[in-house]
Structure formats: structure tokens, C-alpha cells
Amino acid sequence: MRLTRSALIVSTLALATLTIATGANAAPEPAGARITSAVTQDPTSESISDLRQEIDRLRLELAKKQADLDAALQRIKALETGTTADPAPATEPTPAPAPAPAPATATSPAKSTAPAAPAKPLVNLMPPAPMPAPIPADPTIGPGGLMASMQADYLTAYPTVPDANDSKQLALHLRGLQNWCVKANRENTKQFIWVGRVDQGTIQTNGKNVSFMATFVNSNRYFTVPITVDQSVIARVRTRNGIDPGDLAFSGIVQPRVRVNSRRPAPSAFETPYMLAPYIEFFFSFNVKSIVPAAGPSR
């Protein structure tokens, strides 16, 4: 009985040892093996379709890259052989190369392969536009004449302009210009008769007054002036549609208002407002007393 029980215990221990050894020698199962096998064992039609589309896309992309590579190789080969013409696209057949020129002989000299001389540029046969005539220094002809007259006075007083980098001399110059402007505005305030036109789109009536913009032209310069007068002033030039659009003679007191602008040593791109001289801008007011048809155009 004891022998039988001992044999049973020994047999059980041997079986346990064999089981442990077999499990240790076996390869462990990966953690995601079950999930992977579950997915791959039953592929769906959508996943197969997606894989096919991806394969087709990669094939097309590979074909395009190969075509680009072939074209690049052909261009490199053409540059190495001195050919300047680009090769045909990869999808078109390459044209046959031109035959080589025949060797030169005593009776048939070789033709020159030097590039032809460039064609001469076209010559503009139109004459240049004539330069506008300078505005006379005459304040009676209009705002341009007043500005030219004041410019002449300025050049007499200030024939030169100090260097902008010399801050001390520039400060003295600007201080002197302030005094000059005050004197010039006072001395040039006078009554004039200027010929101009009314901008028909700017006419506005407010009670007894009428306001509009008048344009005066001297040579190539246009001066637009706001004017407000009593309606009785335009009695001789009034029409059914407003005011006579032709040349009109404006009579009144002109008061220059030139001023110093220390930040403007030269005209800007559009020259607005007009510059009388370096650092001096040209303004004026026109107190109109009468408006009648003009005997002649402005100058």
C-alpha cells in the first residue's frame, strides 16, 4: 500500500515537472495576436477596396515620378551635348536628331554657326510732347501767376537753401521763412479779375447763398477754389440748369495764405498742396464780389 502510494506521488510529480518544462520551452503568444488574427481572418470588402485604391494610386505616382526622371535625364543629356532646345515631353515620341553638317571642303566652305545679330529695337517715330510754357509771374492772370510772382520774390530773398543735415542753419532758415510768409501774404493781398469756370457738379444753394468750386487754369496747372456768394452775384451768369458752364470773369479780393511746413523740403508725388518753394506751401482765399461772362479765356 505504501509502495503504491509512493509510486503515485512520484508519478504525479514527474507529470507536473514535464508540464512546466513544456510550457517554458514554448514561445509566448504576443499580446495582440488574438486581436490581429480576429481581424485578418475575416477581411471585409471595404478594406480590400481601400487597399486596391491605395495600390493604384501608388502605381500612378510611381509612373509620374519615372516620367519626370526620364525628362530630367534627357534635359541633362541635351545640355551636355550643347543642345539648347528642350526635349519633347515624356508622353510624346522624341523627334529624330537633325543631320550633322557636311565637312568643309575646298569648294564648299563650312557654314558659320554663329548666332544671328539681334534685331534693332523699334524706334518711336512719334515726337515728344512739347513742354508746357512757364507761367508768367503776373498775378493778374490767375492763381498760377500769383504763385510765380511770389516765387520770384522768394528767390530774391533766399537764393540758396541750407543743408537739411545742418540743424542749426536749417532752424534759422525756417524762422526767417516764417517772417517772410507773413510779409508776403500781407503785401500780395489785392483785388484781381481771374477767368475760370464753375464745376457744375458742386453747385449748392443754401438760402440766399450759393456755393460751388471754381477752377482756374494757368498753363498746365489747375487750381480749384471753393467760393460762396450771394445769389445776386450770379444773376448775370445764371441759367435754367444752374450757372453758365463757360468761361467767367471772377472779380474779388485775393488773399495769399502761404505757410511754412518744416517736414516738406521738396514737392510730394502729387504736389498737393502746391509748393511755392522748399518748406513753403501755397494757399490762398478768394472773396468774390462779382461774376460775369468773360471776354476771353484764361492764360
Side-chain angles (χ1 to χ4, degrees), residues 35-272:
I35 298 176
T36 305
S37 62
V39 174
T40 57
Q41 286 174 1
D42 188 18
T44 62
S45 59
E46 293 182 358
S47 62
I48 296 175
S49 177
D50 294 341
L51 288 175
R52 288 177 178 174
Q53 291 179 3
E54 182 65 15
I55 292 172
D56 293 339
R57 186 186 67 80
L58 292 175
R59 285 177 178 173
L60 292 175
E61 185 174 354
L62 179 60
K64 182 177 181 302
K65 296 292 185 182
Q66 186 63 41
D68 294 341
L69 178 61
D70 294 341
L73 292 175
Q74 290 182 16
R75 285 195 294 270
I76 294 173
K77 185 177 180 181
L79 291 174
E80 290 176 350
T81 57
T83 304
T84 57
D86 290 337
T91 57
E92 297 181 3
T94 305
T105 62
T107 57
S108 176
K111 295 183 179 180
S112 174
T113 58
K120 294 183 179 180
L122 296 177
V123 179
N124 186 8
L125 300 179
M126 295 295 295
M131 293 295 294
I135 302 176
D138 181 4
T140 64
I141 66 173
L146 173 63
M147 186 171 72
S149 177
M150 297 182 72
Q151 284 174 335
D153 295 339
Y154 164 85
L155 291 175
T156 301
Y158 297 96
T160 60
V161 179
D163 187 353
N165 296 323
D166 191 340
S167 58
K168 184 177 181 180
Q169 290 297 323
L170 181 60
L172 293 174
H173 179 71
L174 295 176
R175 193 176 301 117
L177 291 182
Q178 293 282 4
N179 297 329
W180 182 88
C181 288
V182 172
K183 180 181 178 182
N185 288 337
R186 181 178 62 252
E187 292 180 349
N188 288 278
T189 298
K190 299 177 181 178
Q191 181 171 354
F192 295 109
I193 300 176
W194 288 348
V195 176
R197 294 189 176 188
V198 174
D199 186 346
Q200 301 297 309
T202 62
I203 301 173
Q204 295 182 352
T205 302
N206 184 12
K208 294 183 179 180
N209 295 331
V210 58
S211 301
F212 53 85
M213 303 295 290
T215 301
F216 302 91
V217 183
N218 297 128
S219 185
N220 64 325
R221 297 204 171 195
Y222 289 74
F223 300 85
T224 302
V225 186
I227 294 177
T228 299
V229 295
D230 188 90
Q231 292 198 37
S232 60
V233 176
I234 63 171
R236 296 182 57 182
V237 294
R238 188 189 298 273
T239 64
R240 288 184 178 181
N241 298 325
I243 301 177
D244 186 349
D247 290 332
L248 305 176
F250 295 79
S251 177
I253 303 297
V254 176
Q255 183 178 6
R257 299 183 184 275
V258 298
R259 66 186 186 188
V260 175
N261 185 346
S262 60
R263 294 175 296 180
R264 196 179 177 197
S268 56
F270 300 99
E271 198 175 358
T272 303

